[in-house]
Amino acid sequence: MLYKVHPARVVSVGEKIEIALEGGQTKRVRAKDLELLHPGPLRSLGELVPQEGEVEAAWELLEGSETTLQELAELAFSAFTPVTAWAAWQLVAEGLSFTGTPGAIRARPRAEVEHDRAQRDAKAVAEREWQAFLGRMAQAAPAPQDAGRLTEVERLALGQSERSRVLEALGHEQTPVNAHRALIQVGHWSDRHNPYPGRCSVPTADPDLPVPALPDQQRLDLTDLPAYAIDDEGNQDPDDAVSIDGDRLWVHVADVAALVAPEGAVEREARARGSNLYLPERVINMLPQGVTEQLGLGLQPVSPALSVALRCDEQGSLTDIEVHRTWIRAQRLSYDTVDGRLGEAPFAAMCALTDRFRARRVALGAISLDLPEVSVRVVDGRVTIRPLPRLASRGLVTEAMLMAGEAVARFCQEHGIPISYATQVAPDAGDQPRDLAAMYARRRTFKPTRMLGAPDLHAGLGLPLYTRATSPLRRYSDLLVHQQLCAWLSGQPLLTPEQVTERIGEAEAAAGTVRRAERLSNLHWKLVFLKDHPDWQGEAIIVGKEERKGVALIGALALETRLRLRDEPDLNQGIRVGVRDIDVPDQTVSFRVLG
């Protein structure tokens, strides 16, 4: 008998029929729940074993017609017995050559059989390939043909999908971190692979857009005035320089608006990106490389610039502000070089002006935080982490750029030029922090900088109004200010305040994503560095306290960590630490206290 899809042997017949099932179990069922396959006798279901026969010949003989189970058994196996009846029914249950019920069996047409057979063969091949793939994954030995399958795991690792059949088969939870971990474990990704630009969905290549030639425009010739583009060694996008002419300071900025119009493909791409993406392993520009090649200060013998002239009085206030489109001849210098020449002309005179300006900012509440900073670089696969020294030359350039930012903000306000202003609400009141723990605590009270269409206080900088205007090669907000200034200087129509606000909103959202990708990428490479140097040791400074833990800053890595300590630590206490455990995909590292 056929009971559901299983063979059954009738034991007794009464109000209900008692049947024996495979495994020796018995059951009482209704007659309508059974279908007769053979009248028997059958002593045991164990007799129902696979049969060899002429199955293909039977199907060819019956193709396209209907038959009975008995006829099929006799044609395929030369007899109709309980054993051959069950074997014949298995041919029907398989559903390839025959379909139907025990009482009405149909021999399927050749076209249908061949179609289904091809599909089944393909499925069997696919299953064999799948099992072979899983075997290679278990051995962490992916083959070239596995790249396609692992693409779905990569998509999950990059946050572009939510599930992966491969990841599930490998026994991992469906999360980007676990997908990242699995790709490392199976040998498809190195633990050095940086997934965070992709996970943050930021562009990972420079824009491939045509760049126009520099137009012929009227400019003030300042090529006889020495100009110095001071930056880190190896910088590839020099966009500002400084000069001094008597008591006037000039801040020159690459005239990006000369090549990037307020409307067009290049402007839209820059707005969608928001800023350059600075990764330890490379830089992805928001503008086509051709823009930097033409406009980077000092990259050509003579550079077009948008130059801001100003004076700084004894109280540190800015006066006599002018803005011009200029030609300059910039000399590129490193911070280290200039730091050794600050007592010489012309840098000593520049410092006198920037020192006054800094003193005014401090008097107005500017907060100076000397927290650890490092440069993380990856060259030829090797990670280096270098603490950034607090060079006076860096402070000189910073103050000069802030002077230009305030000067441009005031110039635009006075002339009714719509731009975006960088503002920051004042943090909670407090004294100027003097030690690392106080600086750490103070930073946590800072509110984020906001870009607004109306001038307002930037409390952290101690400036009543300020705009970002000195990095148009790498930041869209600065580029937009330049476009508005240049339009005003040439008498062209300006963007409306509403248009400025809309564009800045779009760009700042994109720039926020870029900053997140940078932050995660820097942490990734710091962890790779520590994995490369498992015996690394360094000093951590206690900057905060939590229950049974101390919050510490490791200056050599610019890394915050929590430490379990036996005794209550003192703030600003130095503790020697070493690496305990690193999890690169999870972006976590723990340290142990030494000594």
Side-chain angles (χ1 to χ4, degrees):
M1 306 295 287
L2 182 66
Y3 175 64
K4 296 183 178 178
V5 295
H6 305 289
R9 184 174 65 85
V10 175
V11 176
S12 63
V13 177
E15 186 177 342
K16 285 190 173 183
I17 301 174
E18 183 180 2
I19 59 174
L21 300 172
E22 293 173 303
Q25 178 188 3
T26 62
K27 192 178 185 74
R28 296 177 65 80
V29 299
R30 297 169 299 180
K32 68 176 186 177
D33 295 327
L34 298 171
E35 284 196 79
L36 179 65
L37 296 181
H38 194 280
L42 179 67
R43 292 185 298 274
S44 168
L45 292 176
E47 298 176 18
L48 304 180
V49 295
Q51 300 293 298
E52 297 289 337
E54 300 293 332
V55 176
E56 190 74 12
W59 166 69
E60 289 178 350
L61 184 64
L62 295 169
E63 179 193 351
S65 65
E66 288 195 358
T67 186
T68 63
L69 188 64
Q70 179 174 348
E71 183 180 24
L72 176 57
E74 290 173 344
L75 287 173
F77 305 112
S78 303
F80 183 52
T81 67
V83 173
T84 61
W86 176 249
W89 176 248
Q90 291 301 100
L91 297 176
V92 180
E94 181 189 28
L96 179 60
S97 300
F98 302 95
T99 60
T101 65
I105 298 172
R106 174 174 170 265
R108 302 178 69 208
R110 181 174 298 276
E112 292 181 10
V113 172
E114 290 180 348
H115 176 269
D116 285 2
R117 181 177 286 135
Q119 284 192 327
R120 293 187 183 196
D121 289 346
K123 186 176 180 181
V125 169
E127 180 61 23
R128 288 194 299 273
E129 290 177 349
W130 171 252
Q131 294 302 324
F133 163 75
L134 293 180
R136 291 191 294 273
M137 295 304 98
Q139 297 171 11
Q145 67 266 29
D146 296 331
R149 291 186 190 274
L150 290 171
T151 296
E152 71 168 48
V153 186
E154 289 181 319
R155 287 179 54 79
L156 180 52
L158 298 177
Q160 298 168 358
S161 66
E162 295 182 355
R163 297 198 65 79
S164 161
R165 177 191 176 208
V166 173
L167 193 67
E168 187 174 9
L170 295 176
H172 294 274
E173 292 184 14
Q174 307 276 330
T175 68
V177 169
N178 286 324
H180 184 180
R181 195 188 315 283
L183 289 168
I184 293 173
Q185 288 177 350
V186 303
H188 184 65
W189 277 1
S190 159
D191 61 4
R192 310 177 84 78
H193 181 83
N194 178 11
Y196 297 102
R199 194 176 294 180
C200 293
S201 299
V202 296
T204 54
D206 290 351
D208 184 17
L209 295 169
V211 178
L214 191 68
D216 185 14
Q217 295 170 319
Q218 188 72 27
R219 294 181 180 273
L220 178 65
D221 188 347
L222 296 178
T223 53
D224 289 336
L225 182 65
Y228 306 94
I230 308 169
D231 218 317
D232 290 306
E233 194 75 46
N235 174 268
Q236 298 300 312
D237 50 5
D239 51 9
D240 57 67
V242 290
S243 300
I244 194 159
D245 183 13
D247 63 349
R248 277 210 306 182
L249 181 72
W250 286 86
V251 177
H252 313 287
V253 186
D255 190 2
V256 182
L259 294 184
V260 182
E263 302 291 344
V266 176
E267 187 279 336
R268 288 192 297 272
E269 183 66 21
R271 192 193 325 166
R273 293 176 180 236
S275 69
N276 281 6
L277 172 62
Y278 290 95
L279 302 174
E281 63 270 38
R282 57 192 171 127
V283 176
I284 293 92
N285 296 292
M286 75 168 187
L287 294 171
Q289 188 61 38
V291 175
T292 299
E293 291 171 356
Q294 291 192 62
L295 302 180
L297 302 187
L299 298 184
Q300 303 294 337
V302 176
S303 300
L306 186 69
S307 299
V308 181
L310 55 88
R311 289 183 170 87
C312 185
D313 64 21
E314 293 298 325
Q315 289 72 44
S317 297
L318 305 185
T319 65
D320 304 325
I321 297 168
E322 298 177 14
V323 179
H324 300 276
R325 295 187 107 161
T326 62
W327 291 110
I328 69 166
R329 200 182 305 274
Q331 178 184 356
R332 299 190 66 191
L333 298 173
S334 71
Y335 285 119
D336 288 335
T337 298
V338 174
D339 208 62
R341 298 174 54 185
L342 291 180
E344 308 170 5
F347 304 111
M350 293 180 186
C351 286
L353 297 180
T354 57
D355 286 349
R356 289 182 209 162
F357 183 73
R358 183 187 300 110
R360 168 175 161 252
R361 291 198 305 109
V362 171
L364 292 174
I367 300 172
S368 177
L369 301 181
D370 189 12
L371 293 167
E373 291 184 82
V374 298
S375 169
V376 184
R377 292 288 179 266
V378 181
V379 180
D380 296 329
R382 181 172 177 265
V383 187
T384 59
I385 300 179
R386 180 176 60 87
L388 293 178
R390 295 297 177 180
L391 298 176
S393 58
R394 196 179 294 273
L396 163 65
V397 174
T398 297
E399 293 299 328
M401 298 308 115
L402 293 177
M403 294 168 86
E406 182 187 5
V408 169
R410 286 179 53 188
F411 187 90
C412 290
Q413 183 189 33
E414 291 169 4
H415 293 89
I417 303 171
I419 62 167
S420 60
Y421 296 86
T423 70
Q424 186 184 53
V425 176
D428 298 337
D431 296 332
Q432 186 74 249
R434 302 297 179 188
D435 56 53
L436 195 62
M439 292 178 189
Y440 175 82
R442 189 73 161 153
R443 183 181 63 180
R444 296 177 63 138
T445 69
F446 277 21
K447 307 298 190 294
T449 295
R450 300 176 61 202
M451 303 300 293
L452 301 177
D456 203 348
L457 171 71
H458 194 295
L461 297 177
L463 293 175
L465 74 170
Y466 171 72
T467 191
R468 294 169 175 165
T470 58
S471 299
L473 282 174
R474 58 187 180 86
R475 199 163 52 202
Y476 178 84
S477 59
D478 304 49
L479 170 60
L480 183 55
V481 170
H482 277 233
Q483 290 174 332
Q484 290 288 82
L485 279 170
C486 291
W488 184 86
L489 289 170
S490 60
Q492 299 298 314
L494 300 173
L495 296 176
T496 66
E498 292 76 19
Q499 288 174 313
V500 169
T501 299
E502 180 180 353
R503 293 186 179 201
I504 285 297
E506 180 182 344
E508 284 298 292
T513 304
V514 167
R515 289 190 291 271
R516 181 170 183 268
E518 290 173 343
R519 184 175 65 254
L520 293 172
S521 296
N522 271 277
L523 178 55
H524 168 80
W525 287 112
K526 289 178 184 180
L527 298 186
V528 170
F529 172 85
L530 291 173
K531 198 155 190 178
D532 289 344
H533 301 84
D535 297 328
W536 183 91
Q537 297 180 7
E539 185 179 48
I541 305 297
I542 300 297
V543 294
K545 299 179 183 180
E546 295 179 353
E547 185 178 355
R548 297 182 181 179
K549 289 183 181 180
V551 181
L553 287 182
I554 303 174
L557 303 172
L559 190 65
E560 180 180 322
T561 188
R562 268 69 177 163
L563 297 172
R564 290 192 176 276
L565 303 169
R566 294 178 182 176
D567 303 315
E568 180 76 12
D570 296 324
L571 291 180
N572 299 301
Q573 177 182 342
I575 297 175
R576 194 78 179 164
V577 297
V579 178
R580 182 193 301 278
D581 184 62
I582 302 166
D583 188 334
V584 173
D586 196 42
Q587 289 219 306
T588 56
V589 57
S590 62
F591 295 87
R592 67 185 189 279
V593 178
L594 303 175

